[in-house]
Amino acid sequence: AQSVTQLDSQVPVFEEAPVELRCNYSSSVSVYLFWYVQYPNQGLQLLLKYLSGSTLVKGINGFEAEFNKSQTSFHLRKPSVHISDTAEYFCAVSEGGATNKLIFGTGTLLAVQP
Amino acid sequence: GAGVSQSPSNKVTEKGKDVELRCDPISGHTALYWYRQRLGQGLEFLIYFQGNSAPDKSGLPSDRFSAERTGESVSTLTIQRTQQEDSAVYLCASSPGTSALLGEQYFGPGTRLTVT
């Protein structure tokens, strides 16, 4: 069965510092990988996705993530964060198929401090 | 255009009562999902609708939970005889036909359900 692990429940970081949010998954088949972001009092928004091809994917707001098949990881990075990046970040995996339901991690709260 | 909307935004109910949650997907989206987010946990898949196909109910936690969708429009999630463990945020998402195969889902703001 698929599962997604986000080991860090909260990541505090100062403004303009780099950040990496970790995501590991387990699956016996090829997967599609996603990062969603939930800003305070808002719904989830797609940040970026890996479907195939280049393992480095770029998303909105300067975020990027790298798919590493051997390490079954899909870590999210940003070289310089802003206060407005404060939000909950969810990693998700899908095996595709007829339903294509998403399996989510427990989320990481990115808390950007001035 | 309008995004996915859900109502009510908040619902407080007494244990044992039935509740009905509503989701209006983005117009033209054929796929619709319901998820549940308990405090401190990730989202759990509940049910999936795609056009007129039989829904995938594999995530429903018990027979107290049911959902309906008429065509490609509104969906309702019903929880009968609510229990305290049903307290959670219930999220609805929709996808256009092709993106439904690729996991790109558009989420509503959720309904926060509190069972007292």
Side-chain angles (χ1 to χ4, degrees):
Chain A
Q2 297 170 298
S3 66
V4 178
T5 302
Q6 292 181 251
L7 288 174
D8 304 308
S9 60
Q10 187 168 347
V11 173
V13 63
F14 288 108
E15 194 172 19
E16 298 183 5
V19 70
E20 179 178 83
L21 305 183
R22 296 180 294 169
C23 172
N24 289 86
Y25 69 93
S26 66
S27 176
S28 58
V29 299
S30 296
V31 296
Y32 304 128
L33 294 157
F34 306 83
W35 276 97
Y36 280 82
V37 58
Q38 187 172 32
Y39 296 104
N41 301 315
Q42 295 186 30
L44 276 79
Q45 302 174 35
L46 181 65
L47 196 58
L48 50 78
K49 62 185 177 183
Y50 170 79
L51 304 179
S52 64
S54 174
T55 56
L56 182 64
V57 293
K58 296 186 183 298
I60 60 172
N61 301 336
F63 283 92
E64 63 181 30
E66 185 158 18
F67 169 56
N68 188 319
K69 187 175 182 179
S70 62
Q71 297 186 5
T72 60
S73 68
F74 191 55
H75 301 332
L76 181 69
R77 298 191 293 258
K78 186 170 182 178
S80 177
V81 295
H82 302 286
I83 295 287
S84 59
D85 292 324
T86 294
E88 189 90 24
Y89 291 81
F90 292 93
C91 182
V93 64
S94 169
E95 291 180 350
T99 299
N100 207 41
K101 63 187 178 186
L102 293 171
I103 306 299
F104 284 86
T106 52
T108 298
L109 175 62
L110 176 62
V112 182
Q113 305 165 21
Chain B
V4 177
S5 61
Q6 292 185 245
S7 61
S9 56
N10 281 284
K11 176 71 176 178
V12 180
T13 190
E14 293 180 353
K15 177 182 174 181
K17 300 284 189 183
D18 297 352
V19 295
E20 191 173 275
L21 313 180
R22 176 187 170 107
C23 172
D24 282 271
I26 293 172
S27 178
H29 280 195
T30 58
L32 187 147
Y33 302 77
W34 282 98
Y35 293 87
R36 176 172 70 176
Q37 185 178 20
R38 289 170 160 166
L39 187 64
Q41 300 185 22
L43 281 73
E44 305 169 68
F45 166 79
L46 296 177
I47 189 169
Y48 162 75
F49 295 92
Q50 170 66 334
N52 294 319
S53 301
D56 178 349
K57 304 179 181 180
S58 60
L60 294 178
S62 77
D63 59 8
R64 295 186 296 104
F65 287 72
S66 63
E68 293 183 349
R69 187 185 188 195
T70 304
E72 296 180 358
S73 61
V74 171
S75 175
T76 56
L77 176 68
T78 302
I79 308 173
Q80 296 178 310
R81 305 181 303 282
T82 52
Q83 304 294 314
Q84 288 186 331
E85 61 262 29
D86 298 335
S87 296
V89 176
Y90 289 81
L91 291 163
C92 176
S94 69
S95 282
T98 53
S99 291
L101 300 176
L102 300 174
E104 186 164 345
Q105 300 175 18
Y106 298 80
F107 284 81
T111 294
R112 182 175 298 278
L113 175 65
T114 303
V115 182
T116 61

